[in-house]
Structure formats: structure tokens, C-alpha cells
Amino acid sequence: MSDTVLPDWSKLDSAAALAGNPLAGRDLLRLLDLSPQELHLVLSTAVAQKAAWAQGVVTAPYAGKAVGIILEKPSMRTRVSFEVAASRLGAHAVVMSDSNSAFSRGETVKDTTQVLERFVDTIIIRTFAQSKLEEVAHWARIPVINALTDSFHPCQGLADLLTIAEHKGDLSTLKLAYVGDGNNMAHTYLEGGALTGMHIHIATPPGFEPDETIVAECRAAAAQTGALLEVDHDFAAALANADVVITDTWTSMGSEAEHDERLAAFAGYQIDAAAMAQAAAGAIFMHCLPAHRGEEVTDEVMDAPFSAIYDEAENRLHAQKALVSLVLAQ
Ligand code: CP
Ligand code: NVA
């Protein structure tokens, strides 16, 4: 991956250090929008910025810029991490999460988007349908970033890949087991595997499989890295030799009415200590959070020494700061 264009971090106080990178002005609607090299660039940038911040390097390369954050579903981690990332870059964050702003008044997506782009330099949006995000990106002449849709959560994916690399090293040598709902996170891990060469095994209950079209797109993309992407119902086979064990809520935002029915369908798919014991020695546990302790995962696993959940949450900030740095560049 030597063909990535890494910024000169010794000049981080200048937006010029970020100029000309291949992600300048680009959208991130899903991880597959990136090439393997571009994904490496985002993660490398995050590593460099995280280390610089830890050493007390405080710069504001995007002073005077603004980021618009539209949240049509609840959020804590995404909102706070993007707001703080903007702050650390010197940019101002405008959050539109109430029922009186952004798309809540019946204005068309075109009008809202084309007005917003007169004020802000990037639009970060959490919404339901991927098609609405795509419509925003269609009308916007500024970068649009997916802050979670029903289909994908690429910013969480970036943070998770960064966390796995920090804990376990070379992603292309690892196996990730995702056990649970074939949801936006399952899709995102398949995309992350396709781009990094990581072996991904998704095990869901029957009826909760990932979207077949997305799986096919990931398998096609995996040809460039040789990643093995397995999707089935086999909890034990997923966990066997897994270096990373991940689950997510069984009831995503928007599916709350199905909660009781889902609890019954997902019985047997909980990550508990016995499940972790089936994974590889030294395996870590991850969860994008918020978790429903006692449902998809036990307290014992969430709070175990092998749980990386809080490192994972922290890395939202570093991964998104890197992403915004790169797309806001001229
Ligand atoms: N993981 C995640 O996106 O958390 P929030 O819903 O709190 O933003
Ligand atoms: N699958 C979850 C992820 C939350 C960050 C949801 O969409 O609600």
C-alpha cells in the first residue's frame, strides 16, 4: 500500500499538508466507496493524528470551516465524536437533530441540501434509507458522510478496523466473527473485510441474513484482497479460531416494535463467556454500542479484560477526524 499519499504531519497546522490527497472533496456513503489504498490512507492518518494529539500537538488546520451534522435517529457517540473532531480541526459543528431543522419540515432534499452547502463545508448525516443519503450526495457539491443508515455504518467501520489493527495487528491475517443481526454493522464488516483481506464470518439466525445484493458486492470487491467472506447460521463455526468477536443489538433503531419477536428469534446467539472460550486464544470482543446488556452480550463479556469496547468508541473520534481532514482538503 505504498501508493497512498500520506500528509506531512510535521506541517499539520497547515491545510496545505492535506492538500491533493485522493479523498479531497469525496463522499463516504459506504466503505466500498474507498479502494483498499484509500482505506489505508484514512487509517494511517488516524494513527498519525491520534499519536500527535497524545503528544500534545494541537493544531487547527480547518479554522473557519463548518461541518453540518444531521441526525434523524438518536445518537450519542456519533454526535459527540464528530463535534469534538471538528473542534480539534478548528472547524465549527452545526448539529441539526431536533424536529425543527434540516429535513423535518417537508422541504425537498434538493432545497435543503443546496441551501446547507452555502453554509457548511461537509454534510454528515444519519438517516434511515441509504437512498435518502444518496439523494443528498447527488445534490451536494460538498462531501457527504454517512453517519449511519439502515444499510451501513462506515464511520463505525473505520473506527473498528483501527481498533482491531491496534489490538491484533495486520488485518489481512485475522478472522472476525460477527454473530447476530444481518444489519448495517454486518454489511459494514463484510465491506471492511473485502477491503482489507480480513476473513469475515457472519452468523445470523435464519430470517435475519445480510442483504444478498450487498453480500454479492462485497464478494466481488473481495477479489482484490483475497478476503474470505462467509455468511451462514453457524454460531460455532463463526467463533472457531476468531481473533475478533463482535455482536450488535438485536433491535436496531427503527425496529423497536419487533423487539419481543427478535428476542425469541435470537435466543442462542448471545455472546457469553462460553462463546468467547470458543474463539482463538487472545481474541478480543467488540461492540459498536449502545449494547443491550443481557440480550446480545453478557456483562461478563462487556466488562472482561479482552473487551475493547471503550477503545473502539474512542476511535470513532480519531477515525472521523482523519476522514474529515482528508475530505475537507482542497
Ligand atoms: N455506535 C454509534 O453509532 O453510537 P451512537 O448511536 O450513540 O451514535
Ligand atoms: N445496528 C444499530 C447500530 C447502532 C450504532 C442500529 O442501527 O441501531
Side-chain angles (χ1 to χ4, degrees), residues 148 153 183-185 248-249 252-253 288-290:
L148 181 147
H153 197 1
N183 62 12
N184 44 11
M185 289 312 310
D248 183 20
T249 180
S252 285
M253 291 179 276
C288 66
L289 307 178

Side-chain angles (χ1 to χ4, degrees), residues 74-79 126 148 153 156 253 288-290 316:
S75 173
M76 185 272 273
R77 278 146 287 269
T78 303
R79 174 180 177 156
R126 168 169 289 193
L148 181 147
H153 197 1
Q156 184 73 53
M253 291 179 276
C288 66
L289 307 178
R316 295 294 302 279

Side-chain angles (χ1 to χ4, degrees), residues 11 104 122 138 143 192 219 303 319 329:
K11 298 185 184 132
S104 59
T122 178
H138 170 76
R219 290 210 164 112
D303 300 325

Side-chain angles (χ1 to χ4, degrees), residues 72-74 128 148 150 251-258 262:
E72 299 196 312
K73 291 178 175 177
F128 291 83
L148 181 147
D150 293 343
T251 309
S252 285
M253 291 179 276
S255 304
E256 290 80 1
E258 301 168 15
R262 281 172 170 266

